[in-house]
Amino acid sequence: EEATAKRKDDHLDLCATGDVEPAQNSTLLECVRLVHCAMPEMAVEEVDLSTEFLGKKLRYPLLITGMTGGTERAGVVNRDLALLAERHGLAFGVGSQRAMAENPQAGATYEVRQVAPTLPLLGNIGLYQAVELGVDGVRRLAEAIGADGMALHLNAGQELTQPEGDRDFRGGYKVVEGLVRAFGSRLLVKETGCGIGPEVARRLVELGVRNLDVSGLGGTSWVRVEQLRATGVQAQVGAEFSSWGIPTAAAIATVRRAVGPDARLVASGGLRTGLDAAKVLTLGADIAGMALPLFRAQQQGGLAGAEQALATILTSLRQALVLTGSRTCAELRQKPRIIVGELKDWLAAL
Ligand code: FNR
C-alpha cells in the first residue's frame, strides 16, 4: 500500500514540473487545418456544444481524464477539478483506484460527489489490476464513488518501463469481455498516452465495448514518467521509447474509420488548447479529453488557476466554431479540413 501511495506522489511531482511530454508536434494535430469563414453569420452565444456521455448531458464535449487519487494531495486535485467540471458541464474521471482497492481508507480521496453531484463520473482501473480484483471487485470500486461508468486503462509501455511492472500481457481481451458483461455501455477502454490503433479498437468494439479513449502520443508520456524514475536498463530503454506511440490525430481518425459511427470516441493525449479540441472533433471524436494542462494549472494556481486555464480552453473552442461558421459539433464535422504532412502517411497506412 505504502509503495503505491509513494509511487503516486512521485508521479504527481514528475507530472507537475518534470519533462514528461515528448518533443512538440507529436500529436500531429498541427497537420490538421480548419478553414476560416470570413462571414460566420452567427453570435458566439449561439454556439451549442452540448452532447451526451454515459447517459448524462454535457454542456461541452470535454472530459478531464483520470489522473489521481490515494493521497491527500491527490484528493485535493480530484475535488478541485471535479468541481470545475461540474460548474462548466464537463465530464470527469478519477485516477487509478488501485490505491483504494489496497486500502479502503484511501477511498475518500476519490470521492467527488459532494462537489460534483451530477456530472458524468468515471472510475478507473488498470487492465491487469482488474484481473486481480475480479469483475465484482471492479464493480465495487465504481459503486463506492458513485461513478456512472468505469474506465479500464491500458499501459503496456508504462508497465515495461517500471522495474516492478507487468511483463505478461496475455489474456487481455478475455478480461475486457468479462467487464463488458458487467458494465455494458458504461465501460470505457482507454490508453495512457501511447494510443489505441484501429485494429485493437475494432476488436474491442466487436467484444461490445461502446466507449474508447484513444489517449494517443503527444502529451503526457507514461513511458517518460517511469523512465525518469527508473535506473539502469529500464532507464535506457525507457528513453528510447519515450516518443513511442500512435499520434493522437492519427489514432482518432483511423479508429473512427475502423469502428463506424456507433462507438463513443474520446480523443486525448497532448490536447492543450480549445483549437486542439476542435480539431479532434473534426477528426471523429465525440469528446475531447485533457489531463496534464488542467493538473498543472491546479498545481500552480489552485482552483482559480485551473478555472482560468479552463476558461481559456472553452473560449478558444467556441471561437474555433464561430470562425469555421459552425453552431454545433455536427456542423463542425461537415466543414472541410486540410490534412497535410506526416498525418497523411498515417492515414494511408492504418
Ligand atoms: C494520468 N493518466 C492516467 N490514466 C489513467 O487511466 N489512470 C491514471 O491513474 C492516470 N494517472 C495520470 C496522472 C497524471 C498526473 C496525468 C497527467 C495523467 C493519463 C491521462 O488520463 C491521459 O490519458 C494522458 O495523460 C494523456 O492526456 P494529456 O495529459 O496529454 O492531456
Side-chain angles (χ1 to χ4, degrees):
E1 295 159 25
E2 261 173 36
T4 305
K6 164 87 170 67
R7 188 165 66 234
K8 287 279 137 192
D9 267 346
D10 282 357
H11 284 161
L12 291 190
D13 281 334
L14 283 167
C15 287
T17 54
D19 180 16
V20 297
E21 299 180 276
Q24 273 192 338
N25 300 345
S26 302
T27 60
L28 297 185
L29 284 169
E30 76 290 351
C31 296
V32 182
R33 315 276 159 75
L34 305 181
V35 181
H36 175 62
C37 172
M39 295 277 282
E41 287 289 339
M42 61 178 286
V44 175
E45 65 168 43
E46 284 181 276
V47 171
D48 175 6
L49 285 159
S50 61
T51 186
E52 231 182 80
F53 187 49
L54 301 170
K56 288 181 170 175
K57 207 167 147 106
L58 294 182
R59 260 187 287 150
Y60 289 95
L62 293 177
L63 165 66
I64 301 177
T65 67
M67 284 183 267
T68 199
T71 64
E72 275 311 304
R73 178 178 173 195
V76 176
V77 173
N78 276 336
R79 285 189 296 276
D80 277 1
L81 296 183
L83 174 67
L84 259 195
E86 175 84 23
R87 206 179 265 169
H88 293 277
L90 324 181
F92 178 79
V94 298
S96 170
Q97 291 175 266
R98 179 184 193 167
M100 168 178 177
E102 291 173 358
N103 171 17
Q105 285 195 322
T109 64
Y110 296 87
E111 276 170 25
V112 298
R113 279 305 188 198
Q114 300 96 314
V115 293
T118 70
L119 56 64
L121 176 64
L122 279 168
N124 189 296
I125 197 72
L127 177 60
Y128 293 90
Q129 280 104 57
V131 178
E132 285 167 30
L133 290 168
V135 168
D136 285 336
V138 177
R139 194 187 286 126
R140 277 195 294 275
L141 289 178
E143 281 167 5
I145 62 164
D148 299 291
M150 194 70 192
L152 181 71
H153 72 252
L154 315 178
N155 65 340
Q158 177 185 12
E159 294 290 343
L160 289 174
T161 315
Q162 252 178 12
E164 69 275 28
D166 282 315
R167 293 290 180 271
D168 181 352
F169 303 107
R170 290 173 291 189
Y173 286 113
K174 200 141 198 91
V175 180
V176 172
E177 251 187 294
L179 289 171
V180 166
R181 250 177 270 128
F183 286 94
S185 63
R186 300 193 169 268
L187 181 70
L188 175 141
V189 178
K190 74 187 288 289
E191 241 287 343
T192 45
C194 290
I196 294 176
E199 267 192 54
V200 169
R202 196 179 296 119
R203 239 182 119 176
L204 290 171
V205 168
E206 277 166 13
L207 288 178
V209 175
R210 286 285 152 270
N211 309 281
L212 293 171
D213 177 349
V214 298
S215 187
L217 174 70
T220 312
S221 160
W222 282 90
V223 174
R224 218 170 169 94
V225 174
E226 296 300 350
Q227 186 258 330
L228 294 171
R229 296 174 62 236
T231 53
V233 172
Q234 251 92 44
Q236 283 231 293
V237 179
E240 274 177 51
F241 281 79
S242 62
S243 301
W244 175 266
I246 306 170
T248 296
I252 188 61
T254 59
V255 167
R256 175 57 80 195
R257 200 164 58 187
V259 304
D262 293 338
R264 294 292 277 172
L265 297 184
V266 181
S268 72
L271 276 58
R272 297 294 173 259
T273 66
L275 184 51
D276 286 343
K279 285 180 178 179
V280 297
L281 295 172
T282 71
L283 293 175
D286 296 297
I287 291 170
M290 290 188 199
L292 193 70
L294 293 164
F295 170 70
R296 282 200 165 158
Q298 190 277 343
Q299 290 292 289
Q300 284 157 22
L303 180 59
E307 175 90 57
Q308 180 162 359
L310 182 62
T312 308
I313 290 162
L314 297 181
T315 302
S316 154
L317 176 57
R318 285 190 300 260
Q319 182 155 324
L321 269 93
V322 172
L323 292 183
T324 53
S326 321
R327 277 172 190 75
T328 63
C329 293
E331 282 185 25
L332 179 65
R333 276 191 203 102
Q334 304 298 314
K335 304 293 177 188
R337 60 189 169 29
I338 318 301
I339 291 179
V340 302
E342 188 186 330
L343 182 55
K344 247 184 164 161
D345 298 335
W346 282 88
L347 300 192
L350 296 191

